[in-house]
Amino acid sequence: MKKKYQNGFFIFGLVVLGIMLTQLDFAEVWSGVTRAGYWFLAVVALWFVLYFFNTAAWWVIIKSQKPEEKTPFRFLWLYKITVSGFALNYATPGGLMGGEPYRIMALSPKIGTERATASVLLYVMTHIFSHFWFWLIACVLYVCTQHMNVFMATLIASVAAFCLLAIWFFLKGYKKGIAASGIKLLRHIPFVKRWARRFFDDHAEQLAEIDHQIAALHNQNPRTFVTAVGLELACRLASALEIFFILLVILPSANYLQCVLILAFTSLFANMLFFIPLQLGGREGGFLMSVNGLGMTASAGIFVALLVRLRELIWTAIGLALIKFDKKDSHQPPSEP
């Protein structure tokens, strides 16, 4: 990646991170960290492991594109790009406007623009696809473990129906590709339709190749597809340990299944507010409503939300710092013309 683009991503993320830090009550943060003690260190360390799940899913996708060729970079380099990409997504309104362009630009010199774009699109689809499976599993888990009134039964049924519809849509997108159809859809949207028409006319062949690679993962490599989705889903389930570790500080009776439900509801609520940088307010509101729904106190929700927010800021800072440590890999081939 060119140095000017690398610096641009870094400076943008740093500015947004600085703004986010001004929103913290540092006295409250310090009180929460000292109360959590070593459990907070466990929470931060947990995400060092969870990002390996994310990287492994992306690695599997990249390897499946040309399995006969040796991958021209190391797994740990891709891990660094993964962490930095998520850091930019956390700091960017709309999420995908920061991390995904960075991933494509970082990967393109190594495997070519079309293959890099296809792999990033595939990973994003897989990442989102796993969320819908996670929310659907949480609906089943809620029905099996919680008492429901009419309102909750209606809500759970609605969420489950929405997840099933989204899963069907993604499976259709995997089979036929989504790049060309996505640009075609943009041709009918005000303000961007002129750009979309020019882009489609100028890059129709490249979009067709990207869609071919997307469809190949599902149609020709079903085992790879299942592996990538499984890794992402395992990451979602394992990330509930974060909430479990934090709740153990104040609620020794907390159990892991409750934490899965809290995470599922909170992530669903927060993703509905995807346009807010770092999902400020949405994440906290989700924690408060979810713990209240499971019979816990509001103070428990506030405590969890505070430490999760601090962990996000720490890993966002780490990801942004890693952008500046982008030494050229000795295995990197010359970029495609």
Side-chain angles (χ1 to χ4, degrees):
M1 183 188 299
K2 291 182 179 180
K3 203 71 176 178
K4 64 178 182 179
Y5 296 129
Q6 183 189 85
N7 290 335
F9 281 114
F10 175 73
I11 293 171
F12 170 77
L14 203 61
V15 169
V16 176
L17 180 63
I19 295 172
M20 300 307 144
L21 288 172
T22 64
Q23 307 303 310
L24 291 178
D25 183 331
F26 290 97
E28 186 179 8
V29 168
W30 179 248
S31 174
V33 171
T34 53
R35 185 179 184 186
Y38 62 83
W39 280 115
F40 181 68
L41 296 178
V43 165
V44 176
L46 173 67
W47 279 87
F48 176 80
V49 177
L50 294 178
Y51 282 128
F52 273 95
F53 282 86
N54 299 131
T55 307
W58 192 15
W59 177 267
V60 165
I61 290 170
I62 294 171
K63 293 280 287 184
S64 72
Q65 292 174 315
K66 291 188 177 180
E68 71 283 356
E69 294 184 6
K70 183 179 179 181
T71 306
F73 50 84
R74 299 182 179 89
F75 181 88
L76 287 179
W77 177 85
L78 195 67
Y79 179 88
K80 182 188 79 70
I81 298 300
T82 299
V83 175
S84 295
F86 276 115
L88 288 167
N89 279 348
Y90 279 131
T92 308
L96 302 182
M97 291 188 292
E100 274 43 68
Y102 170 77
R103 294 181 196 217
I104 293 171
M105 293 174 72
L107 195 57
S108 291
K110 297 180 180 292
I111 62 175
T113 302
E114 291 178 12
R115 187 178 168 194
T117 303
S119 74
V120 171
L121 283 175
L122 277 166
Y123 176 73
V124 171
M125 290 173 65
T126 302
H127 184 72
I128 298 173
F129 188 61
S130 70
H131 271 80
F132 289 112
W133 277 108
F134 177 60
W135 293 329
L136 185 61
I137 290 171
C139 288
V140 175
L141 182 61
Y142 190 93
V143 170
C144 295
T145 62
Q146 305 295 318
H147 296 292
M148 292 190 297
N149 53 31
V150 175
F151 172 76
M152 285 306 301
T154 303
L155 179 62
I156 293 298
S158 300
V159 172
F162 172 71
C163 289
L164 287 171
L165 179 63
I167 289 170
W168 171 83
F169 174 80
F170 270 86
L171 287 174
K172 186 177 180 181
Y174 274 115
K175 290 180 180 179
K176 297 183 179 179
I178 201 170
S181 57
I183 296 298
K184 286 180 180 178
L185 179 63
L186 290 177
R187 293 189 303 179
H188 303 286
I189 297 178
F191 304 111
V192 298
K193 59 183 180 182
R194 289 185 179 179
W195 170 86
R197 287 169 185 167
R198 288 196 305 269
F199 186 88
F200 183 83
D201 293 338
D202 295 339
H203 300 86
E205 187 175 333
Q206 292 91 333
L207 290 169
E209 175 59 26
I210 290 170
D211 277 340
H212 171 74
Q213 293 185 40
I214 290 174
L217 177 67
H218 181 272
N219 300 330
Q220 299 174 19
N221 301 289
R223 182 176 296 180
T224 300
F225 171 76
V226 172
T227 300
V229 174
L231 285 166
E232 281 292 311
L233 182 57
C235 185
R236 302 281 79 70
L237 293 168
S239 62
L241 288 171
E242 174 179 45
I243 299 173
F244 182 59
F245 292 162
I246 297 171
L247 283 179
L248 284 177
V249 177
I250 54 177
L251 293 172
S253 61
N255 64 70
Y256 173 72
L257 294 182
Q258 286 179 316
C259 297
V260 171
L261 293 175
I262 292 171
L263 177 62
F265 182 83
T266 302
S267 62
L268 177 61
F269 185 77
N271 276 279
M272 292 169 63
L273 303 175
F274 66 92
F275 52 86
I276 302 177
L278 278 170
Q279 297 168 332
L280 288 175
R283 183 70 59 88
E284 286 74 8
F287 275 122
L288 285 172
M289 287 188 285
S290 57
V291 299
N292 182 65
L294 293 174
M296 300 180 186
T297 63
S299 60
I302 294 172
F303 185 65
V304 171
L306 174 67
L307 293 187
V308 169
R309 177 64 65 199
L310 184 58
R311 184 272 305 164
E312 287 179 339
L313 288 170
I314 289 172
W315 272 102
T316 298
I318 292 172
L320 293 176
L322 288 175
I323 292 177
K324 296 298 292 179
F325 293 95
D326 193 16
K327 295 180 180 180
K328 289 188 176 180
D329 195 313
S330 60
H331 291 74
Q332 178 177 337
S335 57
E336 294 183 3

